[in-house]
Amino acid sequence: MNTEILITGATGTIGSEICRQLSKLKIPFKAMSRSAKDAKPIAELEGAEIIIADFNDPESLKNALKGIRQAFLLTSSSEKTEQLQLNFVAAAKKAGLEHLVKLSQLHADENSPVRFLRYHAVVENAIKDAKINYTFLRPNLFMQGLLGFKDPIIYQSKFFATVGNAKISLIDIRDIASVAVECLQGNTHYNKTYDLTGPESLTHYEIADKFSDALSKKVEYVNVDDKQMVSALRSAGFPDWQADGLIEDYAHYARGEAEKVSNNVLEITGNEPRSFDSFLSEYLQKFKISHS
């Protein structure tokens, strides 16, 4: 069977999950990585072929896209993400790629006050302009993103953000991957845009209550102002562009713009999206002190 699917961002959280799900379904795929060493766990999956390529190197992208009909586009977060993805779109157009599934973000819009939403929209529009069949996946906040709060939850029984009392329909990244896998098969999802959410909308205070119940200790959500949050992010090692971008993202959540619940995960995969309780039961050990 020919390998006609290319996964970029294959060594990241979502990309690697897509690779695992494709392998489980016995669907062959190529996984793009800048480093053979980083891609070693993916290389061990049945049906995987590693392609060494770089978003900054058009010749390597041309080679990666040879014989490919369907591709998944995801890059790691950096100041250059928009340009790197545009490089791939240009290479895909030259290669005559049939279909591109892009991981975008809920409410992507070139006029958004949120820089991440602007860049996603720029890339979406470039894909449309390139006349490549597309599927845009626009997920809400990742449940796995809360792993960034694990240290304050473990050691202070608190976590901090600037979202106030706004509800957010968080989604498990494994459900995003399942949707991507479906969209990479056949042509049913060509030229569609899908908002992807979990099954419920929760405030951070409600999330804190769920942590309290699961961990059998009181966990508190502390709402802070932007200045305090950006200072904490910078102290944690986030570069300025990312810290400022996250503040914009949180303001978007605080305005109640991420509350809507979508049925797309169920409609596309046939499975209900994972609840936050389900996520927490599986990831609970990561929010506890390790004794290993």
Side-chain angles (χ1 to χ4, degrees):
M1 189 174 177
N2 289 337
T3 303
E4 298 181 330
I5 295 174
L6 175 68
I7 308 301
T8 70
T11 59
T13 312
I14 293 176
S16 60
E17 179 63 25
I18 291 172
C19 292
R20 283 189 289 272
Q21 292 190 24
L22 286 169
S23 179
K24 196 173 178 182
L25 292 168
K26 301 195 181 305
I27 298 171
F29 61 93
K30 292 181 180 178
M32 183 175 132
S33 175
R34 282 180 301 174
S35 155
K37 183 182 176 185
D38 291 347
K40 195 175 177 190
I42 305 300
E44 292 169 356
L45 295 173
E46 183 183 347
E49 179 185 342
I50 305 302
I51 296 289
I52 302 301
D54 190 314
F55 284 101
N56 280 310
D57 180 353
E59 198 59 34
S60 73
L61 293 177
K62 179 182 174 183
N63 182 56
L65 284 158
K66 273 181 190 167
I68 297 297
R69 287 181 56 238
Q70 311 244 15
F72 176 78
L73 177 58
L74 170 62
T75 53
S76 56
S77 187
S78 78
E79 275 187 291
K80 297 177 181 176
T81 297
E82 179 182 318
Q83 187 56 54
L84 296 179
Q85 294 201 6
L86 291 173
N87 292 349
F88 187 86
V89 174
K93 182 181 179 181
K94 281 185 184 174
L97 182 72
E98 183 179 319
H99 179 218
L100 183 54
V101 179
K102 171 179 159 50
L103 186 75
S104 186
Q105 189 176 340
L106 192 68
H107 300 306
D109 183 338
E110 284 197 24
N111 297 311
S112 173
V114 183
R115 68 193 66 191
F116 302 140
L117 298 182
R118 290 196 299 273
Y119 104 70
H120 279 303
V122 167
V123 178
E124 285 185 359
N125 290 331
I127 294 167
K128 287 180 179 177
D129 291 344
K131 301 290 190 286
I132 300 169
N133 292 307
Y134 64 84
T135 309
F136 299 144
L137 306 183
R138 292 179 167 182
N140 207 344
L141 183 66
F142 304 161
M143 291 180 187
Q144 281 78 359
L146 293 174
L147 291 167
F149 295 143
K150 66 182 173 63
D151 283 351
I153 287 174
I154 291 169
Y155 298 108
Q156 297 173 259
S157 299
K158 294 176 181 177
F159 63 102
F160 306 83
T162 58
V163 296
N165 204 36
K167 286 181 176 286
I168 303 170
S169 51
L170 301 88
I171 184 167
D172 191 300
I173 61 105
R174 293 169 294 182
D175 292 322
I176 301 169
S178 295
V179 170
V181 167
E182 286 295 327
C183 293
L184 286 164
Q185 301 176 66
N187 60 8
T188 309
H189 303 288
Y190 282 17
N191 304 318
K192 303 278 179 66
T193 299
Y194 295 122
D195 292 345
L196 302 178
T197 75
E200 61 190 334
S201 260
L202 298 169
T203 68
H204 274 42
Y205 295 105
E206 290 170 330
I207 288 170
D209 289 343
K210 288 181 178 294
F211 272 115
S212 298
D213 290 344
L215 293 166
S216 301
K217 70 173 187 178
K218 177 66 177 170
V219 175
E220 184 184 357
Y221 167 61
V222 180
N223 198 63
V224 295
D225 63 33
D226 288 355
K227 192 174 179 182
Q228 290 170 302
M229 189 69 183
V230 83
S231 174
L233 288 167
R234 285 173 179 153
S235 296
F238 285 83
D240 287 354
W241 68 268
Q242 196 168 25
D244 292 341
L246 287 169
I247 293 300
E248 294 167 2
D249 241 349
Y250 278 124
H252 155 66
Y253 298 136
R255 290 190 293 269
E257 294 170 4
E259 182 177 340
K260 187 182 77 170
V261 171
S262 158
N263 290 322
N264 283 329
V265 171
L266 174 60
E267 289 175 6
I268 294 167
T269 68
N271 296 313
E272 291 278 358
R274 290 170 175 84
S275 66
F276 189 77
D277 290 334
S278 172
F279 159 79
L280 202 48
S281 67
E282 292 181 72
Y283 281 79
L284 197 60
Q285 288 307 119
K286 293 186 182 294
F287 295 95
K288 294 180 176 180
I289 294 173
S290 171
H291 296 290
S292 57

